[in-house]
Amino acid sequence: MLSERYISLLQRMDQMIRMGSTGPPEDFANRLEISTRTLYNYLAILKMLGAPIRYSRSLMTYIYTESGSLVFEFVKY
């Protein structure tokens, strides 16, 4: 089961990636208060969820290669 902290962290990562404000991996991990290894694990999870993430060396930040965002909510039909 996903914890509230886990979902909150993924949402924060998504927001920072969309804003282009992650910085290099070490900075990104520090801002999230996690280890760099844990950051890579979370990035792998985002990729498994279909997020088109890559690191831009020229911008020195993680970016989405397509427009979009993560959504974690229940939607009634």
Side-chain angles (χ1 to χ4, degrees):
M1 181 137 135
L2 297 176
S3 72
E4 189 174 318
R5 172 160 163 66
Y6 182 80
I7 292 172
S8 175
L9 185 62
L10 290 174
Q11 288 173 325
R12 188 165 172 219
M13 289 176 70
D14 171 63
Q15 180 182 21
M16 292 173 74
I17 293 167
R18 285 185 288 113
M19 292 173 52
S21 64
T22 69
E26 297 79 15
D27 293 350
F28 194 14
N30 287 334
R31 288 187 185 123
L32 296 170
E33 299 179 352
I34 59 176
S35 70
T36 305
R37 179 72 250 157
T38 300
L39 172 70
Y40 291 134
N41 290 337
Y42 279 106
L43 290 170
I45 291 167
L46 289 176
K47 289 177 182 180
M48 285 184 350
L49 291 171
I53 300 171
R54 76 171 183 85
Y55 184 74
S56 170
R57 291 178 194 241
S58 61
L59 299 173
M60 294 182 62
T61 189
Y62 284 92
I63 61 169
Y64 288 135
T65 58
E66 298 176 35
S67 297
S69 65
L70 294 176
V71 178
F72 292 99
E73 64 183 46
F74 179 78
V75 178
K76 292 183 182 181
Y77 297 111

